[in-house]
Amino acid sequence: MKDQFYLHFETMPKATAQQKGVSIIHGKPHFYEKANVRNARTEFTLALKEHRPKVPSELPIKLKICFCFDVKDKKKWGQPKPTKPDTDNYLKLLKDCMTDVGFWKDDSQVVDEHVWKYYSEKASIMIYWEELANDG
């Protein structure tokens, strides 16, 4: 199976999976997900649900993601976005959501991934994923 689709947003959620909060309770640190990360996770999950497969894949996965960050400056449209958030931290949150929604059993199945960040007129994420043959 393979599929390509776009997720569209009013503005791109900018939280990453690395943004954890910590509090000390009874002298021990407790980590929690901050509100902006929860909100981004909710936005990604809701947008992904309509594109999920009927059954989660158990095969190795090839994944291509293009994050298109909205910006008003028309001169930047189509240009690479060399500023935060980092692609690896941002991708982690999206892959976690794809796992939770049921694209695959575990994100460790992603064996080939390509990620881009660009400026765009509208906030969107292009997702291409493909099951690879499991000859072993």
Side-chain angles (χ1 to χ4, degrees), residues 92-133:
K92 177 67 177 146
L93 181 59
L94 182 63
K95 284 171 44 181
D96 286 348
C97 293
M98 291 179 80
T99 302
D100 293 345
V101 167
F103 280 80
W104 43 71
K105 297 279 185 178
D106 189 87
D107 59 9
S108 64
Q109 292 168 242
V110 178
V111 297
D112 184 355
E113 62 187 28
H114 303 268
V115 184
W116 301 267
K117 281 188 313 183
Y118 281 87
Y119 292 111
S120 177
E121 178 183 5
K122 303 208 184 237
S124 61
I125 302 173
M126 184 280 300
I127 298 175
Y128 170 88
W129 72 283
E130 176 182 354
E131 293 176 314
L132 301 174

Side-chain angles (χ1 to χ4, degrees), residues 2 4 7 9 11 14 27 41-42 57 68 81 84-85 92-93 100 117-118 121 130 132:
K2 63 182 172 181
Q4 179 174 325
L7 307 178
F9 304 94
T11 189
K14 292 186 179 72
R41 182 180 299 277
T42 298
S57 177
C68 301
K81 182 183 185 310
K84 292 186 179 198
K92 177 67 177 146
L93 181 59
D100 293 345
K117 281 188 313 183
Y118 281 87
E121 178 183 5
E130 176 182 354
L132 301 174

Side-chain angles (χ1 to χ4, degrees), residues 39-54:
N39 293 341
R41 182 180 299 277
T42 298
E43 281 190 70
F44 287 164
T45 299
L46 289 173
L48 286 165
K49 280 186 177 180
E50 70 180 83
H51 301 284
R52 69 181 162 199
K54 291 180 178 155

Side-chain angles (χ1 to χ4, degrees), residues 12 14 66-85 116-124:
M12 185 67 79
K14 292 186 179 72
C66 183
F67 294 105
C68 301
F69 288 83
D70 52 307
V71 65
K72 292 181 184 187
D73 184 354
K74 291 181 183 181
K75 293 177 187 172
K76 288 189 175 183
W77 294 352
Q79 298 296 313
K81 182 183 185 310
T83 59
K84 292 186 179 198
W116 301 267
K117 281 188 313 183
Y118 281 87
Y119 292 111
S120 177
E121 178 183 5
K122 303 208 184 237
S124 61

Side-chain angles (χ1 to χ4, degrees), residues 5 29 38 47 56 58 61 80 85 90 115 120 128:
F5 56 90
R38 275 194 316 273
E58 295 186 26
I61 301 292
Y90 208 60
V115 184
S120 177
Y128 170 88

